[in-house]
Amino acid sequence: ELAQLVGASKLAELPSENALASAPTAFAGGVQQLYETAAPVAHYALAFSCAPEAASTLAALLGTQRRVKWGHGGSELAQAAAQGGFAADAFSFAYSDAGLVGVLVSAPTAQLRSAVETVAATVQKHIARPSANAVQRAVAAAKVDVAEQLSSQTGAVRALGQIALGQNAATLESVEKAAGSLSKTAESVFASKPVAVSIGLSQSTPYVDTLGF
């Protein structure tokens, strides 16, 4: 529907890509540690490279978003975080030819290492090999998120602009397209080596090479 609106408007007259040819974006993993001694809570982010059109649906598969007040997400990852007493929040970014999906772990400094190890193990065991119910739940959640974003004028204008400029915008159509191969995509994406960023005491954060990816 958004694509049809763009095609019928003056936005269709805008160039959809740069005149200058550019090489495809290449993902380079790595680790960035920011040393912080005063904060009682430490943070650790794991991010994986993915196709931009699949980023939002993969984030929904991680399933950390709270849908009920005082509750937690319905995925195994959300349940592991609730049982472990730490926070795990999924995120995603879609660019013109690349995407990122990942999870931000927040925990007391002394608990961060075990929290990150729990998240890594859960992602590899459950998220990378999702059940049919998990896939169905993720697709439904992604559709709800897209509908909420497009229900506001700001969200609709942002999506129209992204499509007009040849960029990737999360739409119901893109979610449906990603749903067909979500299991295969998740297995490939979450088996790859992630990039890691941490804020806190360096001795309390695990090396990404020890997390099994």
Side-chain angles (χ1 to χ4, degrees), residues 174-198:
S174 68
V175 172
E176 286 286 359
K177 183 178 179 180
S181 59
L182 184 57
S183 294
K184 185 177 180 180
T185 301
E187 183 176 2
S188 174
V189 169
F190 294 120
S192 62
K193 186 174 181 179
V195 60
V197 178
S198 65

Side-chain angles (χ1 to χ4, degrees), residues 7-80:
S9 69
K10 292 185 178 181
L11 291 174
E13 301 174 4
L14 295 174
S16 60
E17 58 183 22
N18 295 329
L20 296 177
S22 59
T25 299
F27 179 80
V31 177
Q32 176 69 49
Q33 291 184 325
L34 304 178
Y35 192 68
E36 173 59 63
T37 60
V41 176
H43 309 276
Y44 195 103
L46 287 170
F48 302 82
S49 175
C50 66
E53 58 271 16
S56 61
T57 311
L58 287 170
L61 184 62
L62 289 167
T64 61
Q65 184 170 350
R66 296 168 180 83
R67 305 285 174 179
V68 180
K69 188 176 182 180
W70 309 120
H72 52 76
S75 71
E76 289 82 356
L77 179 58
Q79 294 172 16

Side-chain angles (χ1 to χ4, degrees), residues 18-191:
N18 295 329
L20 296 177
S22 59
T25 299
F27 179 80
V31 177
Q32 176 69 49
Q33 291 184 325
L34 304 178
Y35 192 68
E36 173 59 63
T37 60
V41 176
H43 309 276
Y44 195 103
L46 287 170
F48 302 82
S49 175
C50 66
E53 58 271 16
S56 61
T57 311
L58 287 170
L61 184 62
L62 289 167
T64 61
Q65 184 170 350
R66 296 168 180 83
R67 305 285 174 179
V68 180
K69 188 176 182 180
W70 309 120
H72 52 76
S75 71
E76 289 82 356
L77 179 58
Q79 294 172 16
Q83 293 172 3
F86 59 87
D89 297 292
F91 60 85
S92 65
F93 299 96
Y95 306 101
S96 59
D97 62 348
L100 282 178
V101 61
V103 57
L104 173 64
V105 183
S106 301
T109 299
Q111 187 186 353
L112 183 65
R113 181 182 296 274
S114 62
V116 173
E117 291 173 348
T118 297
V119 167
T122 304
V123 168
Q124 293 171 67
K125 182 177 180 180
H126 297 289
I127 309 302
R129 299 174 179 83
S131 65
N133 288 337
V135 170
Q136 185 178 12
R137 184 171 60 241
V139 172
K143 288 182 178 179
V144 170
D145 292 340
V146 169
E148 289 181 349
Q149 292 169 9
L150 297 181
S151 65
S152 68
Q153 183 178 9
T154 301
V157 170
R158 181 185 296 113
L160 285 169
Q162 289 172 328
I163 294 175
L165 296 174
Q167 299 177 355
N168 287 277
T171 64
L172 294 177
E173 291 82 359
S174 68
V175 172
E176 286 286 359
K177 183 178 179 180
S181 59
L182 184 57
S183 294
K184 185 177 180 180
T185 301
E187 183 176 2
S188 174
V189 169
F190 294 120

